[in-house]
Amino acid sequence: MTTSPATDISDASKLRHQLVEHLLADNHIRSAAVERAFRTVPRHVFAPGTTVKAAYANDIVATRHSDDGTITSSISAPWLQADMLEAARIQPGHRVLEIGSGGYNAALLAELVGPTGHVTTLDIDPAVTERAVRFLPKAGYRHVSVVTADAEHLPSAVVPDGGFDAILVTVDTWDLPWINALSEGGRLLAPLRLHGYHWAIGFTRNEEALHSDEPLIVCGFVAMQGDGAWNQNRRTVPGTGVHLSWEDGTPMSVDQLASALDSKPTVTRTHITVGGQEPFDLLTLYLAGALPGFCRLGADPDGENQVLNPPPRHWPAAAIVRGASLARLAHERIGDGVDGKGRYEFVVHGYGDQGAVAAQEMAEQVELWQRNHRGARCPLITARPADGRAPAGPDHEPHVFAKKHTCITLDWPIVPGSTASPAVLGSGDAG
Ligand SMILES: C[S@@+](CC[C@H](N)C(=O)[O-])C[C@H]1O[C@@H](n2cnc3c(N)ncnc32)[C@H](O)[C@@H]1O
């Protein structure tokens, strides 16, 4: 930084208010309380290693990396912090737990709960909690409790009588082991991993279950470490450069798919189209729940395999395995679309002897989604204690995801005849 400390402070204040104007204009800040918190907390104090300008950009500030360069801790993007704080509905006097620390978001929470409330912020990484302990008082927040622990094993001593009024999880999580730490009626905000996507979901506790009531926000946080870390169930089909990954349960064997992927696929048309810029994440989530044996299919960008044409580029494709056969969702360009960004038809490619049957099965589900659910803003999501249910397998219940601590059920509202596109409020790596 080349500016003097005095210039930095006035720059910081100006940039902070500019950022707030931006967050208001884009509707990420929707309440006076969250606006006040963002106008008050000096974000740059929590990011001393970066420029004041970068500290007030609407982007993450990476603060810790692993040996291979992966970001393991960051100050999350302001737009996502604002969305999550709004969805948490925090009130003065609330007792709040933040999982995944650093200090800045804890300070925003401290502003929202006020002097009669309390904030506990917890992180597995002692270097992160050490930063929080250092920066919070520097920024004027002396009453936040900072705890070093693995969130998978929340120390009972940190949970207040009756539970927290709100828990904000600011790290990717595959499961929700915190139901009992939440008060009745309390809010839990968590970027829950469901089939390769992270959906920041707002839940309210009602008796033993959590019920979602907010539209999903697609987001990317840093990965959970410790005992709750997600184990990537990935298998490579030998000699093809094609990878299949399963989100939940035991991955299937894939060696038998090598010859299927060596043959020309069948193509099943759906006559259902999507714009070039239109997200269809919710279709993928729908298929993940509807189809047993669902997995995501990716391919090495410079792989030898010529059968996957077009290869899945930005995201792994939705796929199902049926014995030695496979089907995967693809799309074919059918025109320019009204915005010139292209119009695409969903098609399903089938590989192997039973590939056409598998493709037909997937295409029927795409049609059901189109007919009944495409206009839905999002499914209603319920998380209940797992009660020892078996992980999702070939005979899984539709739209039920069995995790270690919870069983997650997705209820897709019926929106007949609608052709509106699914609502996705934001996207990209943000935490
Ligand atoms: C995106 S950062 C948190 C950002 C912070 N809330 C903010 O913006 O001020 C995610 C944090 O989660 C922490 N983390 C990862 N696994 C964890 C675990 N099992 N228990 C607690 N913290 C964990 C990481 O060390 C990292 O600091």
Side-chain angles (χ1 to χ4, degrees):
M1 282 185 275
T2 53
T3 49
S4 71
T7 319
D8 271 358
I9 289 165
S10 72
D11 279 357
S13 172
K14 202 167 107 199
L15 291 168
R16 185 159 63 251
H17 292 296
Q18 275 174 8
L19 173 64
V20 172
E21 295 305 327
H22 192 69
L23 296 173
L24 282 164
D26 288 349
N27 212 30
H28 293 297
I29 293 181
R30 301 183 285 280
S31 68
V34 172
E35 178 184 350
R36 198 174 328 107
F38 271 90
R39 287 199 191 276
T40 308
V41 180
R43 187 171 159 100
H44 64 287
V45 171
F46 297 88
T50 188
T51 61
V52 172
K53 195 164 171 219
Y56 288 102
N58 196 5
D59 205 351
I60 68 162
V61 177
T63 51
R64 292 270 290 163
H65 296 84
S66 61
D67 291 344
D68 67 2
T70 308
I71 299 174
T72 59
S73 189
S74 65
I75 307 176
S76 302
W79 66 264
L80 179 56
Q81 290 176 315
D83 275 342
M84 290 180 76
L85 291 173
E86 291 287 7
R89 301 177 199 152
I90 289 159
Q91 300 296 318
H94 272 178
R95 297 153 308 170
V96 179
L97 171 68
E98 179 191 41
I99 293 175
S101 187
Y104 174 64
N105 199 48
L108 293 170
L109 289 166
E111 283 292 334
L112 292 172
V113 302
T116 56
H118 188 74
V119 175
T120 303
T121 180
L122 173 144
D123 205 287
I124 196 170
D125 184 343
V128 173
T129 47
E130 185 274 325
R131 284 169 63 99
V133 165
R134 205 150 30 99
F135 299 147
L136 278 161
K138 220 172 158 187
Y141 301 91
R142 297 179 192 285
H143 301 295
V144 173
S145 302
V146 182
V147 177
T148 307
D150 183 345
E152 179 77 2
H153 310 289
L154 197 61
S156 55
V158 308
V159 182
D161 284 349
F164 289 102
D165 300 298
I167 300 178
L168 272 84
V169 185
T170 65
V171 54
D172 266 351
T173 185
W174 177 78
D175 205 348
L176 301 169
W178 307 289
I179 299 180
N180 289 334
L182 201 60
S183 64
E184 179 66 19
R187 297 282 294 161
L188 183 131
L189 264 287
L192 182 64
R193 188 181 175 99
L194 287 171
H195 277 281
Y197 287 101
H198 307 103
W199 311 83
I201 304 168
F203 294 96
T204 302
R205 179 173 174 178
N206 184 352
E207 297 186 348
E208 287 308 299
L210 300 173
H211 301 274
S212 76
D213 52 9
E214 289 279 331
L216 307 172
I217 307 164
V218 179
C219 58
F221 274 89
V222 303
M224 182 74 82
Q225 303 167 44
D227 288 346
W230 178 68
N231 170 24
Q232 192 178 17
N233 290 320
R234 190 169 110 137
R235 296 275 192 273
T236 300
V237 185
T240 64
V242 172
H243 317 284
L244 298 177
S245 53
W246 281 262
E247 190 72 15
D248 308 298
T250 312
M252 297 180 181
S253 100
V254 297
D255 293 7
Q256 77 284 5
L257 295 170
S259 72
L261 283 169
D262 217 16
S263 59
K264 205 167 175 303
T266 61
V267 179
T268 301
R269 311 207 75 86
T270 67
H271 308 290
I272 294 163
T273 65
V274 64
Q277 297 289 304
E278 195 181 329
F280 53 90
D281 318 71
L282 289 180
L283 168 61
T284 311
L285 187 57
Y286 180 80
L287 295 177
L291 292 162
F294 179 91
C295 55
R296 304 291 299 273
L297 178 149
D300 289 341
D302 49 2
E304 301 276 293
N305 192 293
Q306 300 301 311
V307 177
L308 288 178
N309 184 19
R313 280 189 211 290
H314 305 297
W315 298 99
I320 51 173
V321 174
R322 294 290 176 265
S325 301
L326 172 86
R328 66 127 181 174
L329 188 66
H331 41 274
E332 276 181 19
R333 191 177 172 108
I334 53 164
D336 289 342
V338 282
D339 58 2
K341 307 271 191 235
R343 190 90 206 148
Y344 295 81
E345 179 187 348
F346 289 117
V347 294
V348 187
H349 290 186
Y351 301 85
D353 288 352
Q354 295 300 308
V357 177
Q360 183 60 33
E361 192 188 344
M362 183 179 268
E364 280 167 13
Q365 290 299 334
V366 176
E367 283 156 20
L368 274 178
W369 168 78
Q370 166 77 19
R371 195 174 330 129
N372 295 330
H373 309 294
R374 189 171 185 171
R377 275 168 74 71
C378 63
L380 293 176
I381 303 178
T382 307
R384 293 189 177 82
D387 292 337
R389 278 181 195 232
D395 43 27
H396 81 308
E397 286 176 58
H399 305 292
V400 174
F401 299 86
K403 305 215 172 222
K404 185 175 163 198
H405 300 282
T406 56
C407 187
I408 311 271
T409 307
L410 273 55
D411 287 308
W412 290 88
I414 294 202
V415 185
S418 173
T419 54
S421 50
V424 171
L425 301 183
S427 65
D429 286 343

